Each structure stands twice: as structure tokens, then as C-alpha cells.
Amino acid sequence: MSDLLHQFWDNFRHNLFKPLLLFFFMGFSVPILGVQFEFPYVIYQGLTIYLLIAIGWHGGEELAKLDPHVLGHALGFMAIGFLANFIIGCIAYALLRNTTRLRRIDAATISGYYGSDSAGTFVTCVGVLSAANMAFAAYMPVMLAVMEIPGCLVALALVSRLRQKGMDRLGNMPDEPGYDPHAVALTQAPGHGHDQHARDVELEKEMALEKLEHHGDNNGNGEQLAGHAPPSLFSAELLHEVFLNPGLFLLFGGIIIGFVSQLQGSKVTHDDDQLFLNLFQGILCLFLLEMGMTASRRLRDLKSAGWRFVAFGLLAPNLFATFGICVAHGYSMATGHPLEVGTYVL
């Protein structure tokens, strides 16, 4: 037992000061110290595009090297992962509704977040595993893409249900404070002083919400026309948003390109590997610098979130990760295919 604790402490101490996390810590300190530094949002978008394509590219290359029987096991594992994330999304909504005072629309949004996965967390974890020389299954980037979808479906189903029960354009239900059936959806983000990046991010969120709201008919002043039902969960627009959103498109596109390229041989992929593999760690460090700045700026939200929601945010990831590991191990035992430790971690 003492050896296990010593190994845990040694791994924790060394991983805590990897370059990846040190860049995150540096970014986290920028707002706290009042450093007048803004990470250009266009560059941040470029980093995100690069990381998604690079993950897909590497995953596609590795998929092309798999034996057919391993590929069949991977497809089954993806189906199990899809179902597990769907269940997690539903559990998250039930916990939020029963333990916090969040609006139902907010609980639905957060449950979609937990029922999905995070490319940012994934690439950070891949960086840590690579630095620690820990192996993981080659098809995990494809798992990332597949397991992104369940949370979106859970959130859309919940939002569609709330609309049918009379939710207003600002996301308030009839029994919630601030309900206004004649409310107009926000189209501009609230001001954040000199923080142009925060304004840009908030504006993009509002534009995305506005786009989602306009899937239904409206009469020009924000009110839904009488007699018109809310948009269906399985409408073409919403399904397009789920399955062809930019993140999934770039990820799947990188997987397909990497797969097809690797089938033609290593000579075809050699030059591209210099960009998508060799530069990955350095680009990820810059990405984590921005992530640290964003996380630090959002600290003020803890005051309005409430301690129960903060507790949920601290406990839920660990509980759901444990659930995911148990499901993965159960699938491994049932199929007789052992999984690498890195695969459990991802």
C-alpha cells in the first residue's frame, strides 16, 4: 500500500510540473496579476483548428494500421462509449435539478456538456500521456468524435421538451423568476470593459443561441407565431448542427484524410507528419496558455453559481470518470480484449 501511495505521489508531483500544465498556470496568472495581455482570438481559433485536425490525422493514421479484428473490437467499444455518455448526460441533468437551484435550461445545457466530451481536455491528456510514455488505443481519437454526439442529443431533447412546456425566448419557464412570454432574445453581449476577447466570446455565444432560436418561425419582434409548434428535435437544422458542427467536421475530416493517406504508405504521410505530429506539443502549450487565461477570468462566476453547483463541478467529473472506467473495464472483460492504462485514462 505504501509503495502504491509513493508511486501516486511521485506521478502527481512530476505531472504537475510538465510544460503543458506550467503554460496553463502561466495563463491563469495573467488576469490575477493584471498583466495587459490579450491572446488574439483569431490565433486561438487557428490553434483549435490545428489541434482538431492533428488529433484526427494521427487517429486516422493509426486506424489504417489496425488489424481487422481489432477494428471490430474498436467499433463495439465506440458503441458502448456512445451509450455511456448518453446515460451520463441524463444523470447529470437529474442531479442538477435535484441538488442545485439552476434554471432548467441551464441544467439542460450543462448536462449536454457532461454527456459530451472535450477536445481541449482530450488533447491535454494526450500530451500528458505522451510525455509519460504511456500507450493508449489508436482508435481513441475516433472515440472522441463519436462520444461528442450523445451530449448534444440529450441537451437538444431536453430543450425541445422545455419549449413545448412554454419556455420563453430568454430560457425562463413559466414557474421561474423573470418569465416573460413576450421577451426578445438577446443579440448583443453585455459589456466587459476593456476585455475585447471576452466580448467576442460572449457575442459568439449569443449569436449561436440566436441561430438556434431562429430555427422556428417568428414574427419579427422575437415572439413565436401563435399556433406554430416549436422546432422538432429531429429537424434537419438541429441534426445538421449536431452531426456537422465545425468541431466534428474537422475531427472526422482529419481522421479520413489520415486514414486514406496512411493506406498509401509512410512516404505519403512523412512530410505532413512534420506538421501534425512533431509540432503538436508546442501548439498545445499555446492552447493551454489561453485556456488558463479563460479559466482565471471565469473565477468571478463562482460567486453567483452557489456552493452546490461548485460542489457538483468538483465531484461530477470524478464520479463520471470512474463510471466510464468501470464501463470500459466491463467491456474489456466481456470481450477478452485487455485495454492499455492510457486508454482507461482517456
Side-chain angles (χ1 to χ4, degrees):
M1 184 65 179
S2 60
D3 290 341
L4 183 63
L5 291 175
H6 176 75
Q7 183 180 4
F8 172 80
W9 172 246
D10 187 64
N11 290 334
F12 177 80
R13 181 166 50 88
H14 284 85
N15 288 329
L16 192 62
F17 298 102
K18 296 288 186 183
L20 290 172
L21 291 182
L22 290 177
F23 269 92
F24 178 86
F25 299 151
M26 182 172 72
F28 195 87
S29 67
V30 168
I32 295 176
L33 298 177
V35 179
Q36 297 299 313
F37 172 69
E38 292 296 334
F39 203 98
Y41 189 64
V42 174
I43 296 180
Y44 172 73
Q45 286 182 311
L47 296 179
T48 304
I49 292 171
Y50 167 84
L51 291 173
L52 287 170
I53 293 178
I55 291 172
W57 170 270
H58 182 59
E61 280 190 311
E62 296 299 326
L63 278 178
K65 302 175 184 177
L66 291 180
D67 294 331
H69 74 280
V70 177
L71 187 60
H73 169 74
L75 292 175
F77 195 34
M78 292 174 198
I80 294 296
F82 185 97
L83 179 61
N85 257 15
F86 190 88
I87 293 173
I88 286 174
C90 296
I91 294 176
Y93 182 74
L95 289 176
L96 288 167
R97 288 292 299 134
N98 289 282
T99 61
T100 71
R101 294 178 295 177
L102 290 173
R103 297 185 307 165
R104 269 163 280 188
I105 183 65
D106 295 329
T109 303
I110 297 169
S111 67
Y113 169 79
Y114 279 98
S116 180
D117 45 23
S118 165
T121 306
F122 184 89
V123 297
T124 305
C125 190
V126 167
V128 172
L129 291 176
S130 299
N133 294 318
M134 295 181 66
F136 55 88
Y139 50 79
M140 289 308 291
V142 186
M143 286 282 287
L144 170 69
V146 171
M147 294 178 68
E148 182 78 17
I149 299 172
C152 299
L153 295 178
V154 169
L156 287 173
L158 291 171
V159 171
S160 177
R161 182 183 175 191
L162 294 177
R163 282 177 173 160
Q164 292 174 359
K165 291 186 175 181
M167 182 179 70
D168 67 18
R169 297 294 297 274
L170 297 179
N172 298 311
M173 296 299 291
D175 59 345
E176 294 175 340
Y179 175 73
D180 182 1
H182 305 294
V184 178
L186 296 176
T187 57
Q188 293 184 343
H192 291 282
H194 67 279
D195 194 347
Q196 182 61 41
H197 173 62
R199 288 201 301 271
D200 291 341
V201 173
E202 292 297 329
L203 182 58
E204 287 190 354
K205 291 179 180 177
E206 296 296 349
M207 291 172 63
L209 289 173
E210 183 71 8
K211 178 181 177 183
L212 184 61
E213 292 291 346
H214 277 83
H215 287 324
D217 293 326
N218 62 72
N219 61 7
N221 62 2
E223 296 181 42
Q224 196 171 40
L225 288 174
H228 286 245
S232 169
L233 169 63
F234 297 104
S235 67
E237 293 88 354
L238 291 182
L239 291 179
H240 183 277
E241 184 71 19
V242 172
F243 293 100
L244 287 177
N245 66 74
L248 279 182
F249 177 80
L250 292 172
L251 193 59
F252 273 120
I255 291 170
I256 294 172
I257 294 172
F259 182 82
V260 174
S261 301
Q262 183 60 41
L263 289 178
Q264 302 174 61
S266 298
K267 291 183 178 180
V268 175
T269 61
H270 178 268
D271 293 338
D272 299 290
D273 285 343
Q274 303 296 317
L275 172 64
F276 292 121
L277 299 184
N278 296 350
L279 295 181
F280 183 83
Q281 289 286 331
I283 299 297
L284 179 57
C285 286
L286 296 178
F287 179 78
L288 286 175
L289 175 66
E290 162 59 19
M291 283 186 65
M293 294 169 60
T294 301
S296 182
R297 290 191 184 103
R298 308 312 297 184
L299 284 176
R300 62 181 181 272
D301 292 343
L302 296 180
K303 296 180 181 179
S304 58
W307 71 268
R308 292 182 179 178
F309 181 56
V310 173
F312 176 87
L314 292 172
L315 296 175
N318 299 285
L319 295 174
F320 293 150
T322 303
F323 172 73
I325 290 173
C326 292
V327 170
H329 188 60
Y331 180 77
S332 174
M333 295 284 288
T335 59
H337 289 273
L339 299 175
E340 296 90 344
V341 174
T343 301
Y344 283 118
V345 174
L346 282 173

